[in-house]
Amino acid sequence: MNTVSNDSIDLFKVLKLFTTVYELGSFSAAARVLSVTPGAVSKQIGVFEDSLGCRLFQRTTRSLSITEEGRRLYALIQQPAQQIEEALASLSPEEGQPRGTVKVSLPVAFSRTVLVPCLKRFQERFPEISLDLHFENRHVDLIAEGYDCAIGQRRDIDSSIIARPLAPLVLILCASPAYLAQHGKDLRAENLESHSLIAFRSPTKGRIEAWTLQGAGKDLVIQPRSRLMVTDTEAQAELAAAGCGITLLGAHHAIPLIEQGKLKRVLPQYFAQRGDICIYYPARKNLPRRVSSFVEFVIDETRSSGVVKQMKAIVGRPD
């Protein structure tokens, strides 16, 4: 591989250009963000590739895709490039105002219920920070995928990651008022398995997990045998609201539907708990202010969220 010549290209500028193209997946989109022409983007990337002696992007007339070399380069430079940008920004006269982009991975239902309604306040408080929000129910590799932080369950904590709890991940049994009016007269824990149950199948593992419920002084284990199995929690909630049966749904998802009268809680003495929903980020001595501002905002907002307070009450956790 050739050595990059600082005489032929502005290295920091072209690395910024490369990361923008990588994240947006388009020369045209990167050009709009950086206020240059698509032709200028293509030319600079081409010069950079020539200097490196390898292709970073595969181009056709209709698509742009990253190469393995491009993925490796992004993983290596993304965090250092952001740190350099933060350092340069801190030298400006407006150093009191955090700025830049925060790339975040968020779980869909919890974020829509708890976080999305308060993000206008974040924009008003931090007008120089842009949020790049990825709604996805999966574990992400913060460093390799270029995320500043993520929200979700975090089980494999190590010294390179800091995880701060936001709320207990609690699930409750619920069904529609119509279903309960027709089938709920003699509903008890002992005959729950005889009802129409809506089961959730893990889209990654492919299996249906047992409902391990606690409460009423004993644990209750239900292996849902169902004619309805779904891999999407939105569909799961909609099917329950439509009267198709009883389901075990995340409280953060169920509570708004209960308040709207679309669902009712079933056997309220029972619930399932699966750890905590956390916000996690790389352990660094100096976390960029744009990231720390977002993290602290999220923690403050979830602490005051009515939905989160109800989730904590279900498991008996002090507010």
mmCIF file of all heavy atoms in Angstrom, residues 13-42:
data_model
loop_
_atom_site.group_PDB
_atom_site.id
_atom_site.type_symbol
_atom_site.label_atom_id
_atom_site.label_comp_id
_atom_site.label_asym_id
_atom_site.label_seq_id
_atom_site.Cartn_x
_atom_site.Cartn_y
_atom_site.Cartn_z
ATOM 1 N N LYS A 13 -9.231 16.727 6.018
ATOM 2 C CA LYS A 13 -10.427 17.040 5.234
ATOM 3 C C LYS A 13 -10.941 15.810 4.496
ATOM 4 O O LYS A 13 -12.150 15.537 4.483
ATOM 5 C CB LYS A 13 -10.107 18.158 4.243
ATOM 6 C CG LYS A 13 -11.288 18.592 3.389
ATOM 7 C CD LYS A 13 -10.886 19.731 2.471
ATOM 8 C CE LYS A 13 -12.045 20.154 1.579
ATOM 9 N NZ LYS A 13 -11.650 21.257 0.664
ATOM 10 N N VAL A 14 -10.036 15.041 3.903
ATOM 11 C CA VAL A 14 -10.486 13.888 3.129
ATOM 12 C C VAL A 14 -10.980 12.763 4.040
ATOM 13 O O VAL A 14 -11.883 12.010 3.682
ATOM 14 C CB VAL A 14 -9.373 13.385 2.179
ATOM 15 C CG1 VAL A 14 -8.332 12.548 2.890
ATOM 16 C CG2 VAL A 14 -9.987 12.586 1.024
ATOM 17 N N LEU A 15 -10.410 12.659 5.256
ATOM 18 C CA LEU A 15 -10.928 11.665 6.202
ATOM 19 C C LEU A 15 -12.330 12.035 6.660
ATOM 20 O O LEU A 15 -13.197 11.161 6.825
ATOM 21 C CB LEU A 15 -9.988 11.534 7.400
ATOM 22 C CG LEU A 15 -8.651 10.840 7.138
ATOM 23 C CD1 LEU A 15 -7.774 10.874 8.379
ATOM 24 C CD2 LEU A 15 -8.854 9.400 6.666
ATOM 25 N N LYS A 16 -12.572 13.329 6.874
ATOM 26 C CA LYS A 16 -13.913 13.792 7.214
ATOM 27 C C LYS A 16 -14.875 13.489 6.075
ATOM 28 O O LYS A 16 -16.004 13.020 6.292
ATOM 29 C CB LYS A 16 -13.874 15.297 7.500
ATOM 30 C CG LYS A 16 -15.232 15.935 7.750
ATOM 31 C CD LYS A 16 -15.870 15.433 9.029
ATOM 32 C CE LYS A 16 -17.167 16.171 9.309
ATOM 33 N NZ LYS A 16 -17.851 15.627 10.508
ATOM 34 N N LEU A 17 -14.422 13.727 4.846
ATOM 35 C CA LEU A 17 -15.251 13.452 3.678
ATOM 36 C C LEU A 17 -15.551 11.953 3.583
ATOM 37 O O LEU A 17 -16.691 11.542 3.338
ATOM 38 C CB LEU A 17 -14.528 13.952 2.437
ATOM 39 C CG LEU A 17 -15.277 13.966 1.108
ATOM 40 C CD1 LEU A 17 -14.751 15.078 0.223
ATOM 41 C CD2 LEU A 17 -15.129 12.637 0.391
ATOM 42 N N PHE A 18 -14.517 11.129 3.800
ATOM 43 C CA PHE A 18 -14.693 9.670 3.730
ATOM 44 C C PHE A 18 -15.709 9.190 4.755
ATOM 45 O O PHE A 18 -16.601 8.388 4.442
ATOM 46 C CB PHE A 18 -13.350 8.979 3.953
ATOM 47 C CG PHE A 18 -13.472 7.515 4.287
ATOM 48 C CD1 PHE A 18 -13.811 6.586 3.315
ATOM 49 C CD2 PHE A 18 -13.278 7.061 5.591
ATOM 50 C CE1 PHE A 18 -13.948 5.229 3.616
ATOM 51 C CE2 PHE A 18 -13.410 5.729 5.903
ATOM 52 C CZ PHE A 18 -13.749 4.808 4.922
ATOM 53 N N THR A 19 -15.596 9.643 6.011
ATOM 54 C CA THR A 19 -16.532 9.180 7.045
ATOM 55 C C THR A 19 -17.958 9.633 6.747
ATOM 56 O O THR A 19 -18.917 8.903 7.011
ATOM 57 C CB THR A 19 -16.113 9.670 8.443
ATOM 58 O OG1 THR A 19 -16.041 11.098 8.458
ATOM 59 C CG2 THR A 19 -14.769 9.104 8.843
ATOM 60 N N THR A 20 -18.115 10.824 6.170
ATOM 61 C CA THR A 20 -19.454 11.310 5.837
ATOM 62 C C THR A 20 -20.080 10.462 4.738
ATOM 63 O O THR A 20 -21.255 10.081 4.813
ATOM 64 C CB THR A 20 -19.398 12.788 5.398
ATOM 65 O OG1 THR A 20 -18.771 13.563 6.427
ATOM 66 C CG2 THR A 20 -20.796 13.335 5.150
ATOM 67 N N VAL A 21 -19.301 10.136 3.701
ATOM 68 C CA VAL A 21 -19.809 9.263 2.639
ATOM 69 C C VAL A 21 -20.166 7.893 3.206
ATOM 70 O O VAL A 21 -21.220 7.316 2.896
ATOM 71 C CB VAL A 21 -18.768 9.123 1.509
ATOM 72 C CG1 VAL A 21 -19.221 8.081 0.483
ATOM 73 C CG2 VAL A 21 -18.537 10.459 0.819
ATOM 74 N N TYR A 22 -19.289 7.357 4.055
ATOM 75 C CA TYR A 22 -19.533 6.033 4.652
ATOM 76 C C TYR A 22 -20.849 6.029 5.422
ATOM 77 O O TYR A 22 -21.667 5.118 5.282
ATOM 78 C CB TYR A 22 -18.373 5.681 5.582
ATOM 79 C CG TYR A 22 -18.493 4.328 6.246
ATOM 80 C CD1 TYR A 22 -17.851 3.212 5.728
ATOM 81 C CD2 TYR A 22 -19.252 4.158 7.399
ATOM 82 C CE1 TYR A 22 -17.961 1.971 6.340
ATOM 83 C CE2 TYR A 22 -19.372 2.920 8.017
ATOM 84 C CZ TYR A 22 -18.716 1.846 7.479
ATOM 85 O OH TYR A 22 -18.845 0.612 8.085
ATOM 86 N N GLU A 23 -21.060 7.048 6.264
ATOM 87 C CA GLU A 23 -22.233 7.069 7.133
ATOM 88 C C GLU A 23 -23.517 7.340 6.370
ATOM 89 O O GLU A 23 -24.579 6.811 6.728
ATOM 90 C CB GLU A 23 -22.045 8.109 8.239
ATOM 91 C CG GLU A 23 -20.964 7.707 9.246
ATOM 92 C CD GLU A 23 -20.572 8.832 10.186
ATOM 93 O OE1 GLU A 23 -21.105 9.956 10.022
ATOM 94 O OE2 GLU A 23 -19.734 8.588 11.079
ATOM 95 N N LEU A 24 -23.451 8.141 5.311
ATOM 96 C CA LEU A 24 -24.649 8.476 4.546
ATOM 97 C C LEU A 24 -24.878 7.538 3.361
ATOM 98 O O LEU A 24 -25.979 7.477 2.822
ATOM 99 C CB LEU A 24 -24.575 9.917 4.053
ATOM 100 C CG LEU A 24 -24.513 10.993 5.152
ATOM 101 C CD1 LEU A 24 -24.430 12.382 4.523
ATOM 102 C CD2 LEU A 24 -25.713 10.906 6.076
ATOM 103 N N GLY A 25 -23.823 6.826 2.956
ATOM 104 C CA GLY A 25 -23.963 5.853 1.869
ATOM 105 C C GLY A 25 -24.154 6.452 0.494
ATOM 106 O O GLY A 25 -24.652 5.789 -0.419
ATOM 107 N N SER A 26 -23.727 7.702 0.325
ATOM 108 C CA SER A 26 -23.965 8.371 -0.957
ATOM 109 C C SER A 26 -23.023 9.543 -1.118
ATOM 110 O O SER A 26 -22.848 10.346 -0.192
ATOM 111 C CB SER A 26 -25.423 8.860 -1.016
ATOM 112 O OG SER A 26 -25.606 9.820 -2.020
ATOM 113 N N PHE A 27 -22.434 9.675 -2.316
ATOM 114 C CA PHE A 27 -21.625 10.848 -2.623
ATOM 115 C C PHE A 27 -22.493 12.110 -2.615
ATOM 116 O O PHE A 27 -22.085 13.160 -2.115
ATOM 117 C CB PHE A 27 -20.963 10.706 -3.989
ATOM 118 C CG PHE A 27 -19.762 9.802 -4.004
ATOM 119 C CD1 PHE A 27 -19.117 9.493 -5.199
ATOM 120 C CD2 PHE A 27 -19.253 9.246 -2.837
ATOM 121 C CE1 PHE A 27 -18.004 8.670 -5.230
ATOM 122 C CE2 PHE A 27 -18.128 8.422 -2.851
ATOM 123 C CZ PHE A 27 -17.513 8.132 -4.053
ATOM 124 N N SER A 28 -23.695 12.013 -3.201
ATOM 125 C CA SER A 28 -24.574 13.181 -3.296
ATOM 126 C C SER A 28 -25.005 13.664 -1.918
ATOM 127 O O SER A 28 -25.015 14.870 -1.647
ATOM 128 C CB SER A 28 -25.805 12.844 -4.143
ATOM 129 O OG SER A 28 -25.430 12.506 -5.465
ATOM 130 N N ALA A 29 -25.387 12.720 -1.037
ATOM 131 C CA ALA A 29 -25.820 13.106 0.310
ATOM 132 C C ALA A 29 -24.664 13.745 1.076
ATOM 133 O O ALA A 29 -24.843 14.740 1.783
ATOM 134 C CB ALA A 29 -26.357 11.888 1.055
ATOM 135 N N ALA A 30 -23.465 13.176 0.940
ATOM 136 C CA ALA A 30 -22.293 13.749 1.613
ATOM 137 C C ALA A 30 -22.001 15.142 1.068
ATOM 138 O O ALA A 30 -21.643 16.054 1.829
ATOM 139 C CB ALA A 30 -21.087 12.837 1.426
ATOM 140 N N ALA A 31 -22.154 15.314 -0.234
ATOM 141 C CA ALA A 31 -21.905 16.626 -0.847
ATOM 142 C C ALA A 31 -22.855 17.679 -0.288
ATOM 143 O O ALA A 31 -22.450 18.817 -0.012
ATOM 144 C CB ALA A 31 -22.055 16.524 -2.369
ATOM 145 N N ARG A 32 -24.136 17.299 -0.098
ATOM 146 C CA ARG A 32 -25.101 18.259 0.455
ATOM 147 C C ARG A 32 -24.725 18.653 1.873
ATOM 148 O O ARG A 32 -24.783 19.830 2.244
ATOM 149 C CB ARG A 32 -26.511 17.657 0.424
ATOM 150 C CG ARG A 32 -27.127 17.601 -0.966
ATOM 151 C CD ARG A 32 -28.604 17.294 -0.900
ATOM 152 N NE ARG A 32 -28.869 15.976 -0.356
ATOM 153 C CZ ARG A 32 -28.942 14.867 -1.087
ATOM 154 N NH1 ARG A 32 -28.744 14.932 -2.399
ATOM 155 N NH2 ARG A 32 -29.201 13.705 -0.522
ATOM 156 N N VAL A 33 -24.336 17.681 2.698
ATOM 157 C CA VAL A 33 -23.984 17.955 4.090
ATOM 158 C C VAL A 33 -22.744 18.838 4.173
ATOM 159 O O VAL A 33 -22.662 19.741 5.018
ATOM 160 C CB VAL A 33 -23.762 16.635 4.852
ATOM 161 C CG1 VAL A 33 -23.132 16.884 6.218
ATOM 162 C CG2 VAL A 33 -25.083 15.892 5.022
ATOM 163 N N LEU A 34 -21.777 18.590 3.297
ATOM 164 C CA LEU A 34 -20.500 19.301 3.353
ATOM 165 C C LEU A 34 -20.460 20.544 2.466
ATOM 166 O O LEU A 34 -19.429 21.214 2.381
ATOM 167 C CB LEU A 34 -19.372 18.346 2.955
ATOM 168 C CG LEU A 34 -19.196 17.120 3.867
ATOM 169 C CD1 LEU A 34 -18.163 16.167 3.282
ATOM 170 C CD2 LEU A 34 -18.810 17.540 5.275
ATOM 171 N N SER A 35 -21.581 20.830 1.785
ATOM 172 C CA SER A 35 -21.698 22.027 0.939
ATOM 173 C C SER A 35 -20.654 22.050 -0.175
ATOM 174 O O SER A 35 -20.004 23.072 -0.433
ATOM 175 C CB SER A 35 -21.593 23.296 1.801
ATOM 176 O OG SER A 35 -22.609 23.330 2.769
ATOM 177 N N VAL A 36 -20.488 20.903 -0.834
ATOM 178 C CA VAL A 36 -19.627 20.814 -2.012
ATOM 179 C C VAL A 36 -20.406 20.086 -3.099
ATOM 180 O O VAL A 36 -21.531 19.641 -2.888
ATOM 181 C CB VAL A 36 -18.305 20.075 -1.707
ATOM 182 C CG1 VAL A 36 -17.482 20.846 -0.691
ATOM 183 C CG2 VAL A 36 -18.582 18.656 -1.185
ATOM 184 N N THR A 37 -19.810 19.933 -4.265
ATOM 185 C CA THR A 37 -20.491 19.231 -5.352
ATOM 186 C C THR A 37 -20.206 17.734 -5.283
ATOM 187 O O THR A 37 -19.147 17.319 -4.791
ATOM 188 C CB THR A 37 -20.035 19.755 -6.718
ATOM 189 O OG1 THR A 37 -18.649 19.423 -6.906
ATOM 190 C CG2 THR A 37 -20.226 21.268 -6.810
ATOM 191 N N PRO A 38 -21.127 16.891 -5.782
ATOM 192 C CA PRO A 38 -20.848 15.449 -5.841
ATOM 193 C C PRO A 38 -19.579 15.134 -6.618
ATOM 194 O O PRO A 38 -18.842 14.204 -6.275
ATOM 195 C CB PRO A 38 -22.089 14.874 -6.531
ATOM 196 C CG PRO A 38 -23.175 15.853 -6.231
ATOM 197 C CD PRO A 38 -22.502 17.200 -6.220
ATOM 198 N N GLY A 39 -19.307 15.922 -7.672
ATOM 199 C CA GLY A 39 -18.092 15.693 -8.441
ATOM 200 C C GLY A 39 -16.842 15.916 -7.615
ATOM 201 O O GLY A 39 -15.850 15.177 -7.750
ATOM 202 N N ALA A 40 -16.879 16.934 -6.744
ATOM 203 C CA ALA A 40 -15.729 17.204 -5.876
ATOM 204 C C ALA A 40 -15.519 16.067 -4.882
ATOM 205 O O ALA A 40 -14.380 15.673 -4.597
ATOM 206 C CB ALA A 40 -15.927 18.525 -5.140
ATOM 207 N N VAL A 41 -16.637 15.533 -4.367
ATOM 208 C CA VAL A 41 -16.538 14.398 -3.444
ATOM 209 C C VAL A 41 -15.908 13.210 -4.154
ATOM 210 O O VAL A 41 -14.972 12.578 -3.654
ATOM 211 C CB VAL A 41 -17.932 14.020 -2.883
ATOM 212 C CG1 VAL A 41 -17.838 12.735 -2.074
ATOM 213 C CG2 VAL A 41 -18.485 15.153 -2.037
ATOM 214 N N SER A 42 -16.411 12.889 -5.342
ATOM 215 C CA SER A 42 -15.902 11.743 -6.097
ATOM 216 C C SER A 42 -14.420 11.909 -6.423
ATOM 217 O O SER A 42 -13.631 10.962 -6.303
ATOM 218 C CB SER A 42 -16.711 11.582 -7.381
ATOM 219 O OG SER A 42 -16.227 10.494 -8.138
#
